[in-house]
Amino acid sequence: MEEMKEKIIVNMKYLIGLVENQLDDQEILKGYMLYYFAQARTLFNLKDDLIFRLDKMIFGKYEAEQYRAAIENVRRVLKEYLKSEFNVVESMIKLD
């Protein structure tokens, strides 16, 4: 049970870091891989966590634009990673 609590706390720190634009690209990628990709979760789950989990816990502290910017930042980092590491053509990347 303690392990699960720590995971949720770290995940909340990741979400807050995203919304407050405090994470560099490496931290964004690492967090996404750990909390979403490795758990078979997607950008949809990230949006859900931001809008329903984080917003509910902090009582609407952030504006909708901050959530949109956080998601776009994750998309940008993932696209750059796919292009640089796997030589994927941008038109092939679908991250919606």
Side-chain angles (χ1 to χ4, degrees):
M1 186 69 167
E2 187 64 34
E3 184 178 321
M4 185 62 150
K5 278 185 180 179
E6 184 175 330
K7 185 175 174 183
I8 291 171
I9 290 169
V10 173
N11 192 5
M12 286 299 144
K13 288 180 183 177
Y14 176 70
L15 295 175
I16 290 168
L18 282 174
V19 174
E20 293 183 353
N21 199 24
Q22 295 178 341
L23 304 177
D24 63 29
D25 289 358
Q26 192 65 29
E27 292 169 314
I28 291 171
L29 181 62
K30 182 178 177 182
Y32 182 81
M33 292 298 181
L34 179 62
Y35 300 117
Y36 295 92
F37 181 78
Q39 298 179 53
R41 300 179 77 214
T42 67
L43 280 174
F44 177 82
N45 299 114
L46 174 63
K47 289 179 197 178
D48 192 59
D49 285 349
L50 285 170
I51 294 167
F52 296 107
R53 182 185 281 187
L54 180 63
D55 195 61
K56 185 181 281 188
M57 287 186 72
I58 57 170
F59 310 109
K61 177 180 176 183
Y62 303 111
E63 300 292 325
E65 183 54 40
Q66 288 174 283
Y67 293 119
R68 279 193 286 277
I71 293 163
E72 284 307 311
N73 246 352
V74 173
R75 276 194 184 107
R76 177 189 55 76
V77 168
L78 291 173
K79 282 180 182 181
E80 288 175 6
Y81 177 74
L82 289 169
K83 288 191 293 187
S84 69
E85 295 297 318
F86 300 102
N87 202 26
V88 175
V89 178
E90 186 160 350
S91 63
M92 294 175 56
I93 302 171
K94 305 293 182 216
L95 295 174
D96 296 325

